[in-house]
């Protein structure tokens, strides 16, 4: 009888409704879960004479409550927040060391130049000269410590880049798996809600690593693109990223995508943005490369000038003065794919023309070209004498004639020239005898302080690139770092607010509200009981009918 | 308008975390006494603070320079004064010798005393300061500036340049005078030194027997003129030293005032206003407590409690 069938359909439907409600309650705190709602609809009615009699309820579908648009907004917010948080935390570490009075450069500079003045007021006192040499040692050590700070941060950042690339590859592999499962499950016509939730969660985690673009295909699988169009995942295929030394830089990792024809990976670092990777790359360029080089330039300029001044004077014993400091070499590194095994010999010929940039020297097959990396502009080199192979540019002397061994230099060979990157760690104090400080301008007059007065005056000379004093230059590095830290902190705070708003938006649509589920429990339970009662009533009706016939 | 259970909790938690972070920052300021805990708190203020600190350090260095220059100049003044006194005594002796009432044994005694004065002044001319540097040697300060030659005359072998010490960004002070300027080449004496003129009057007195009274009168009057010229030169030197000491004094006062003013500006830029910070701390403390208490209340509300 149709009453029984109708009641039974109700019983089954509300049983499923209760199951869905309990599924929601169990997953109330599951990350990435979208609440599910059972959609009920009436069964096709039966025609009986002039009326249609209803035949009960059936389950239309289990709807997954989520919005693709809101999910996309959440991914963007996750990406920005991860980027800004990472940048802010690295920036704060660097800012703290530079501005701290015990670790910054400023106090060491002041103490050194004060000790020079003390020698100027008392040039015959060995105690003052000894103190000056001690302060020179302290200054060299402080420069070294600052450089080590940057190197430690760089190691940290590169380590994180390698880790992030590993994690991206793991997520890509998971996405491929889920894509396959979703395509298989979707072929039955129903929507695999929980698999979709899992895939959405992986996409969120991926967004935290890097900015991604998603497109959904007709069969239900998704394709993921990064950078300016590079494919990360396409259906059932994942492109694994690599983090390796793809340029001539021996320290910094570049991000590469495998090339289609089996050659070395293609460097896509410059297209990467957003997420942790974007934050790490930006930290490396703005917070590490720039300030480290500028401090190296300060170290080089100051010690070169002090050496020059000491050489102009005469020491306590009347001998001509020598160098106070030993200076570092210019760092030159070859790209791993270079043909030539030799390196060009690069020295600094004029420190006042030096810039705080790194340079790339490349051989085109016919001539050498130099590129300044800070502003990415080509630099014209003047050859000292035609055909000598020795070029001068930006205060550097580049000697390519020493690369005469085999295998010879071939077209495409590239070298990275870093005059200032490691300079702050490469200093040393060359004299140990306090008598060797050349205080006098005239030989034999031990009380003469005119040369050491000139040395004290270096503190106020526009030394760095011919325009700024030592202290002003360091001050501007510190200010630059402080300003960028402030900006990163503001970005972190505002992106955190946006992330909260995006999460709230998602929760409004997809989040489970336990009170709502509790109310549904009561509702479905009552409906189930009512349907059961209908079955009992139908049974009694049948019993009545049978007993009539007896 | 729907809100999920998770959202209720996570929005409360993130609000509490923000309150805790703000409270912690204020506490850090209170315990360091600084408004600017790290440069990022106020980049332009931090840069200004560094410049002020550098200016204070430089000015304090100038003060140290002044402290070294002062005793040297004081010592020089004392020594030049002593030489003046000796020359005054020599003047009295020469005046008496030229009065015409002395006999040759008186002249002998006078000559002896003048020779002693010569030695005393030579001793002062070759004196050293507490550092062991010769006071009147100029920049060749580790060697005796006045040497006795084979013919008995005194020659100056020191330097012609004196040490300059910076006492402010624009001013330097000479911390001595060369022996050349103090003892040698006295003006209007035909290029004689103090030693030379004392030696010649002593020699003349020792051979007074061979001189007529007119010649003796000429010799003593010339000697008196020479001594007066040397006294005038010594007085000039002492006046110059006195002026330099005055400059040091006034510059020292200016430097002190400058340091005080710089430190007060530095404090305004860098240090914490405790009154404002403490009341801010109280407010943030209250806000955090309110957030915590309201969280407890809200988290108790659930329909399941009533089913």
């Amino acid at each position: 009888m149709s009453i029984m069938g109708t009641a039974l359909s109700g019983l089954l439907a509300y049983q499923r409704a209760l199951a869905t409600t309990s599924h929601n309650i169990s997953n109330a705190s599951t990350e990435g879960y979208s609440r599910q709602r059972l959609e009920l609809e009436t069964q096709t009615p039966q025609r009986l004479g002039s009326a249609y009699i209803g035949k009960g309820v059936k389950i239309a579908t289990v709807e997954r409550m989520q919005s693709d648009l809101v999910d996309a907004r959440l991914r963007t917010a996750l990406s920005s927040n991860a980027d800004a948080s990472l940048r802010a935390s690295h920036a704060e570490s660097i800012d703290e060391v530079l501005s701290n009075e015990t670790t910054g450069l400023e106090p060491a500079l002041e103490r050194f130049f004060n000790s020079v003045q003390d020698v100027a007021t008392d040039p015959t006192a060995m105690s003052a000269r000894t103190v000056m040499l001690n302060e020179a040692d302290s200054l060299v050590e402080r420069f070294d410590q600052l450089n080590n700070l940057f190197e430690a941060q760089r190691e940290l950042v590169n380590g994180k880049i390698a880790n992030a690339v590993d994690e991206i590859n793991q997520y890509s592999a998971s996405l491929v798996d889920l894509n396959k499962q979703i395509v298989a499950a979707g072929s039955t016509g129903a929507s695999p809600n929980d698999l979709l939730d899992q895939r959405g969660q992986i996409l969120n985690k991926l967004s935290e690593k890097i900015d991604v673009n998603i497109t959904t295909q007709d069969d239900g699988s998704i394709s993921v693109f990064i950078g300016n169009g590079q494919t990360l995942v396409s259906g059932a295929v994942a492109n694994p990223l690599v983090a390796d030394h793809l340029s001539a830089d021996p320290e910094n990792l570049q991000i590469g995508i495998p090339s289609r024809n089996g050659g070395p990976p293609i460097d896509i670092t410059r297209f990467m943005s957003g997420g942790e990777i974007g934050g790490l790359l930006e930290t490396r360029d703005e917070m590490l490369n720039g300030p480290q080089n500028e401090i190296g330039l300060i170290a080089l300029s100051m010690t070169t000038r002090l050496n020059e001044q000491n050489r102009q004077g005469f020491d306590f014993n009347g001998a001509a003065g020598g160098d106070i400091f030993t200076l570092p070499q210019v760092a030159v590194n070859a790209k791993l794919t270079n043909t030539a095994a030799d390196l060009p010999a690069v020295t600094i010929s004029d420190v006042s023309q030096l810039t705080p940039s790194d340079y790339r020297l490349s051989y085109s097959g016919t001539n050498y070209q130099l590129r300044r990396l800070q502003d990415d502009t080509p630099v014209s080199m003047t050859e000292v004498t035609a055909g000598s192979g020795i070029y001068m540019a930006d205060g550097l002397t580049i000697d390519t004639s020493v690369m005469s061994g085999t295998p010879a230099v071939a077209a495409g060979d590239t070298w990275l020239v870093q005059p200032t990157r490691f300079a702050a760690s490469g200093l040393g104090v060359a004299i140990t005898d306090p008598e060797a400080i050349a205080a006098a301008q005239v030989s034999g007059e031990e009380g003469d302080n005119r040369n050491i007065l000139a040395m004290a005056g270096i503190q106020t000379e526009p030394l760095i690139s011919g325009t700024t004093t030592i202290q002003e230059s360091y001050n501007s590095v510190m200010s630059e770092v402080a300003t960028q830290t402030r900006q990163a902190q503001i970005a972190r705070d505002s992106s955190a607010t946006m992330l909260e708003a995006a999460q709230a938006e998602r929760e409004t649509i997809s989040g489970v509200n336990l009170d709502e589920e509790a109310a549904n429990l009561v509702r479905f339970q009552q409906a189930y009981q009512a349907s059961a009662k209908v079955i009992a009533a139908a049974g009694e009706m049948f019993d009545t009918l049978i007993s009539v016939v007896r | 308008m729907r809100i999920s259970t998770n959202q209720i909790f996570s929005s409360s938690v993130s609000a509490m975390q923000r309150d805790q972070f703000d409270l912690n920052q204020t506490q850090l300021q209170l315990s360091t006494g600084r408004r600017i805990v790290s440069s990022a708190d106020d980049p332009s203020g931090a840069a200004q603070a560094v410049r002020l600190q550098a200016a204070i350090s430089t000015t304090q260095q100038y003060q140290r320079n002044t402290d070294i220059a002062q005793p040297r100049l004081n010592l020089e003044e004392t020594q030049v004064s002593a030489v003046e006194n000796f020359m005054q005594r020599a003047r009295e002796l020469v005046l008496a010798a030229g009065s015409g009432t002395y006999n040759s044994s008186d002249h002998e005694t006078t000559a002896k005393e003048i020779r002693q004065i010569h030695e005393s002044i030579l001793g002062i001319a070759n004196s050293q300061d507490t550092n062991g540097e010769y006071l009147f040697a100029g920049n060749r300060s580790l060697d005796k500036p006045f040497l006795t030659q084979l013919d008995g005359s005194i020659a100056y072998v020191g330097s012609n340049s004196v040490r300059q010490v910076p006492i402010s960004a624009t001013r330097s002070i000479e911390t001595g005078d060369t022996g050349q300027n103090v003892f040698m080449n006295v003006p209007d004496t035909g290029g004689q030194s103090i030693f030379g003129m004392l030696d010649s009057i002593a020699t003349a007195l020792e051979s007074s027997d061979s001189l007529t009274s007119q010649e003796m009168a000429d010799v003593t009057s010339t000697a008196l003129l020479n001594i007066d010229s040397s006294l005038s030169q010594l007085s000039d030197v002492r006046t110059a030293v006195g002026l330099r000491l005055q400059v040091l004094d006034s510059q020292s006062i200016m430097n002190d005032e400058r340091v005080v003013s710089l430190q007060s500006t530095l404090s305004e830029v860098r240090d914490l206003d405790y009154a404002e910070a403490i009341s801010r701390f109280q407010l943030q403390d209250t806000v955090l407590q309110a957030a915590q208490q309201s969280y407890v209340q809200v988290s108790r509300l659930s329909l399941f409690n009533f089913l």
Side-chain angles (χ1 to χ4, degrees):
Chain A
M1 286 183 60
S2 62
I3 304 173
M4 201 70 96
T6 309
L8 207 56
S9 79
L11 218 60
L12 290 173
Y14 291 116
Q15 212 173 49
R16 302 253 156 72
L18 280 168
T20 305
T21 304
S22 116
H23 183 59
N24 280 344
I25 292 176
S26 317
N27 283 300
S29 302
T30 305
E31 219 182 315
Y33 179 72
S34 308
R35 70 190 167 106
Q36 294 172 0
R37 195 171 66 184
L38 202 67
E39 296 283 318
L40 298 172
E41 64 184 13
T42 53
Q43 304 253 23
T44 328
Q46 183 184 38
R47 174 112 193 247
L48 216 57
S50 59
Y52 280 95
I53 306 288
K55 295 202 52 167
V57 67
K58 70 173 183 221
I59 297 166
T61 176
V62 177
E63 196 183 338
R64 174 175 171 246
M65 308 298 291
Q66 73 66 255
S67 156
D68 280 344
L69 203 60
V70 169
D71 280 352
R73 273 208 282 274
L74 179 61
R75 280 197 297 272
T76 311
L78 280 168
S79 193
S80 306
N81 189 49
D83 182 338
S85 299
L86 212 50
R87 260 193 308 135
S89 92
H90 280 286
E92 279 168 355
S93 314
I94 297 172
D95 175 57
E96 202 182 312
V97 172
L98 284 186
S99 56
N100 188 299
E101 274 148 28
T102 49
T103 51
L105 187 64
E106 191 61 43
L109 282 173
E110 281 171 26
R111 278 201 308 271
F112 175 73
F113 280 108
N114 283 352
S115 73
V116 174
Q117 288 245 9
D118 281 343
V119 175
T121 45
D122 217 345
T124 58
M126 280 304 120
S127 55
R129 286 166 176 258
T130 310
V131 168
M132 181 175 148
L133 286 185
N134 284 342
E135 291 299 340
D137 273 329
S138 297
L139 190 60
V140 161
E141 205 180 305
R142 185 57 61 85
F143 269 119
D144 186 37
Q145 280 169 354
L146 280 179
N147 202 59
N148 287 344
L149 158 75
F150 288 109
E151 286 299 300
Q153 286 289 321
R154 188 183 299 281
E155 214 178 297
L156 210 60
V157 164
N158 280 318
K160 283 188 186 172
I161 289 177
N163 280 343
V165 165
D166 272 343
E167 284 176 5
I168 290 176
N169 289 339
Q170 281 173 21
Y171 295 144
S172 301
S174 305
L175 280 173
V176 161
D177 273 341
L178 282 168
N179 269 345
K180 286 192 196 137
Q181 289 178 35
I182 288 170
V183 167
S187 62
T188 59
S191 169
N193 291 334
D194 297 315
L195 290 175
L196 290 173
D197 278 347
Q198 279 181 37
R199 192 172 68 181
Q201 190 55 17
I202 301 241
L203 285 174
N204 284 353
K205 293 220 179 92
L206 190 58
S207 295
E208 281 178 2
K209 301 292 163 193
I210 192 168
D211 254 351
V212 291
N213 271 320
I214 317 274
T215 55
T216 315
Q217 314 293 9
D218 291 333
D219 61 359
S221 69
I222 53 149
S223 300
V224 180
F225 302 98
I226 56 172
N228 68 348
Q230 286 79 21
T231 312
L232 190 62
V233 168
S234 173
V237 175
N239 258 340
L241 297 179
V242 295
D244 205 352
H245 300 286
L246 301 176
S247 74
D249 195 324
E251 285 192 311
N252 290 325
L253 296 173
Q254 317 293 347
I255 298 173
I257 205 156
S259 80
R260 243 159 273 172
N261 54 11
I266 305 171
D267 187 345
I268 53 167
T269 316
R270 62 191 178 287
F271 302 123
M272 300 289 96
S273 68
E276 285 178 18
I277 296 231
L280 289 167
L281 289 175
E282 220 178 305
T283 299
R284 208 169 68 181
D285 285 335
E286 315 251 319
M287 286 259 107
L288 293 182
N289 290 352
Q292 189 178 8
N293 283 10
E294 284 177 36
I295 289 183
L297 182 61
I298 294 174
L300 273 178
S301 305
M302 193 179 97
T303 49
T304 306
R305 180 76 186 86
L306 283 166
N307 282 355
E308 182 191 59
Q309 189 64 48
N310 205 55
R311 284 199 300 272
Q312 288 181 19
F314 295 90
D315 69 12
F316 191 75
N317 300 315
D323 284 345
I324 302 179
F325 297 97
T326 55
L327 299 179
Q329 309 272 40
V330 173
V332 180
N333 283 291
K335 199 165 167 186
L336 293 171
T337 54
N338 275 7
T339 316
D342 296 327
L343 298 171
V346 183
T347 51
I348 299 173
S349 49
D350 185 357
V351 86
S352 66
Q353 286 184 26
L354 210 53
T355 69
S357 172
D358 294 342
Y359 295 85
R360 189 186 306 135
L361 180 71
S362 52
Y363 185 60
S364 68
T366 44
N367 53 10
Y368 287 93
Q369 288 155 346
L370 191 66
R371 201 168 183 85
R372 193 185 307 134
L373 294 179
Q374 190 177 43
D375 43 8
D376 206 24
T377 51
V379 179
S380 62
M381 302 193 284
T382 44
E383 204 170 358
V384 168
T385 49
S388 62
I390 304 178
Y391 304 89
M392 303 193 58
D394 274 8
L396 297 168
T397 301
I398 303 172
D399 186 356
T400 57
S401 63
V402 298
M403 296 191 288
S404 50
T406 50
V409 181
D413 279 357
T414 316
W415 299 269
L416 183 66
V417 178
Q418 298 173 302
T420 51
R421 173 66 57 86
F422 308 105
S425 265
L427 300 171
V429 177
I431 51 180
T432 47
D433 184 3
E435 295 182 2
I437 297 174
Q441 205 174 67
V442 173
S443 172
E445 297 198 359
E446 304 90 353
D448 185 0
N449 71 348
R450 282 169 292 186
N451 200 48
I452 195 109
L453 270 181
M455 231 186 274
I458 292 175
Q459 188 179 18
T460 49
E461 270 180 34
L463 200 58
I464 316 294
S465 301
T467 50
T468 20
T469 67
I470 296 168
Q471 282 169 311
E472 261 317 300
S473 190
Y474 179 72
N475 220 13
S476 80
V477 172
M478 225 176 65
S479 281
E480 184 65 31
V481 168
T483 313
Q484 285 194 29
T485 305
R486 186 96 199 90
Q487 285 173 347
Q489 285 171 335
I490 293 174
R492 175 187 59 195
D493 291 341
S494 71
S495 70
T497 311
M498 305 238 356
L499 180 59
E500 272 177 40
Q503 279 168 338
E505 222 183 322
R506 186 188 181 274
E507 284 293 303
T508 304
I509 298 174
S510 315
V512 173
N513 183 307
L514 286 175
D515 286 349
E516 188 186 34
E517 300 301 322
N520 284 344
L521 262 183
V522 172
R523 180 158 67 103
F524 295 140
Q525 204 173 13
Q526 284 179 347
Y528 183 86
Q529 284 168 346
S531 292
K533 228 7 180 208
V534 170
I535 292 178
E540 277 171 28
M541 277 171 58
F542 185 73
D543 284 343
T544 310
L545 194 62
I546 295 294
S547 62
V548 163
V549 174
R550 201 181 302 131
Chain B
M1 184 62 200
R2 201 174 161 276
I3 186 168
S4 72
T5 311
N6 274 344
Q7 188 56 26
I8 296 171
F9 288 121
S10 68
S11 65
S12 307
V13 166
S14 65
M16 275 194 285
Q17 281 181 335
R18 262 199 302 275
D19 293 337
Q20 275 174 346
F21 179 76
D22 290 340
L23 191 66
N24 193 46
Q25 287 295 96
T26 307
Q27 205 242 343
L28 205 57
Q29 284 181 326
L30 284 171
S31 53
T32 58
R34 296 278 175 87
R35 180 179 65 89
I36 303 178
V37 174
S38 81
S39 295
D41 296 337
D42 180 0
S44 60
Q48 205 186 359
V50 167
R51 272 190 216 107
L52 287 168
Q53 189 61 53
I56 290 173
S57 174
T58 314
T59 313
Q60 285 172 335
Q61 178 63 38
Y62 286 135
Q63 285 298 64
R64 269 204 296 288
N65 293 357
T66 312
D67 289 343
I68 293 187
Q70 227 157 17
R72 286 180 67 100
L73 288 172
N74 276 330
L75 183 60
E76 189 189 342
E77 197 182 29
T78 311
Q79 300 293 58
V80 171
S81 233
V83 175
E84 275 180 306
N85 288 341
F86 278 123
M87 288 309 276
Q88 287 287 11
R89 176 74 187 131
R91 192 180 196 284
E92 285 167 18
L93 290 171
V94 170
L95 198 59
S99 65
T101 54
Y102 275 26
N103 59 21
S104 73
S105 90
D106 293 327
H107 281 145
E108 283 277 342
T109 321
T110 309
K112 267 210 193 95
E113 200 179 335
I114 289 183
R115 288 223 181 268
Q116 268 176 5
I117 289 176
H118 179 281
E119 283 313 300
S120 302
I121 293 181
L122 183 60
I124 293 177
N126 275 335
S127 65
Q128 293 169 298
D129 68 5
T130 48
N131 259 356
E133 289 184 284
Y134 288 99
L135 218 50
F136 295 104
N139 276 338
R140 274 194 80 227
S141 54
L142 294 182
D143 298 312
K144 262 197 194 153
F146 289 98
L147 292 179
T148 315
Q149 308 290 79
L150 289 171
D151 62 0
S153 67
I154 308 293
Y156 176 70
V157 295
S159 160
N160 283 328
S161 29
V162 282
R163 187 178 309 158
Q164 298 235 13
V165 163
I167 54 170
S168 81
T170 45
R171 258 179 142 166
S172 290
I173 275 282
E174 290 177 338
T175 54
D177 290 284
T178 61
Q180 180 76 19
N181 290 344
V182 181
F183 300 99
M184 312 295 281
N185 252 356
V186 181
D188 302 325
T189 60
Q192 283 192 68
S193 67
I194 288 179
F195 307 109
M197 69 178 71
L198 288 175
D199 185 50
S200 56
I201 187 62
T203 313
L205 287 171
E206 278 157 1
S207 50
S208 59
D209 293 335
S210 55
L211 295 173
T212 65
S213 57
Q214 182 56 41
E215 284 171 331
M216 180 55 69
D218 285 339
V219 161
T220 50
S221 70
T222 314
L224 279 174
L225 287 171
N226 286 347
I227 290 175
D228 282 339
S229 294
S230 72
L231 279 170
S232 160
Q233 172 155 294
L234 288 167
S235 164
D236 285 344
V237 169
R238 197 157 57 86
T239 312
V241 173
L243 278 171
R244 278 184 234 142
L245 280 167
Q246 263 180 19
V247 167
L248 278 181
D249 264 340
S250 66
Q251 186 65 49
S252 178
I253 292 173
M254 284 202 294
N255 284 348
D256 271 338
E257 283 172 7
R258 184 163 156 72
V259 167
V260 168
S261 149
L262 285 170
Q263 277 172 339
S264 123
T265 312
L266 179 61
S267 179
E268 272 170 41
V269 169
R270 190 181 60 179
D271 293 340
L272 186 65
D273 175 357
Y274 268 94
E276 182 267 334
I278 288 175
S279 67
R280 183 168 19 109
F281 184 83
Q282 300 283 45
L283 178 63
Q284 285 167 341
D285 189 49
T286 311
V287 167
L288 180 59
Q289 273 189 45
Q292 287 169 338
Q293 284 169 345
S294 61
Y295 175 83
V296 169
Q297 293 284 66
V298 169
S299 63
R300 285 207 202 106
L301 299 169
S302 171
L303 191 52
F304 281 104
N305 293 342
F306 302 105
L307 285 176

